[in-house]
Amino acid sequence: MMGVVSEIHFANLTRLSYLDGSGNNLTLKVHDGWIPTFQVRALMLASWQLGPQFPAWLQYQGQLETLDISNIGICNSIPQLFWPKISNLWQLNLSRNQIRGEIQENLRFSLVLLWLT
């Protein structure tokens, strides 16, 4: 599937808790200050085009348990304000991006599956 998804597509999805759009060739275009109306537990958007900046709207997803944003075209660092928001995370896939920087030291990744390659 190819196409563009915008914030308007999510406007009425206030109870969205699971989204798996992986493997589609979709582009997410939202304005810089977008704050989603939903709190997802599982978000899989592998192979979407979300970059080159780290998606700032992810900082508002405080219920995340699974996050797969592999191969989304990120070419910068992850904002430090993102790390405290992912305390419930069990799976994190950031692979196949060009992410720079460090993972915050005080995170507890003992139970998290983490892909960074």
Side-chain angles (χ1 to χ4, degrees), residues 26 44-55 57-58 67-75 93-99:
L26 295 171
M44 288 80 68
L45 299 178
S47 299
W48 282 42
Q49 183 57 40
L50 275 66
Q53 302 299 315
F54 189 83
W57 56 270
L58 282 175
L67 177 61
D68 183 351
I69 52 172
S70 58
N71 194 34
I72 65 166
I74 297 174
C75 295
N93 189 344
L94 301 172
S95 66
R96 295 180 282 146
N97 288 293
Q98 296 177 23
I99 297 173

Side-chain angles (χ1 to χ4, degrees), residues 5-20 28 30 34-45 48 50 55 57-64 66-67:
V5 177
S6 69
E7 58 207 59
I8 202 77
H9 292 102
F10 296 103
N12 295 321
L13 300 177
T14 58
R15 295 173 54 190
L16 181 66
S17 63
Y18 180 91
L19 177 60
D20 186 353
L28 181 61
V30 296
W34 182 53
I35 300 174
T37 58
F38 53 83
Q39 288 289 313
V40 293
R41 292 189 180 277
L43 182 62
M44 288 80 68
L45 299 178
W48 282 42
L50 275 66
W57 56 270
L58 282 175
Q59 69 182 305
Y60 301 106
Q61 296 303 306
Q63 303 298 317
L64 279 172
T66 299
L67 177 61

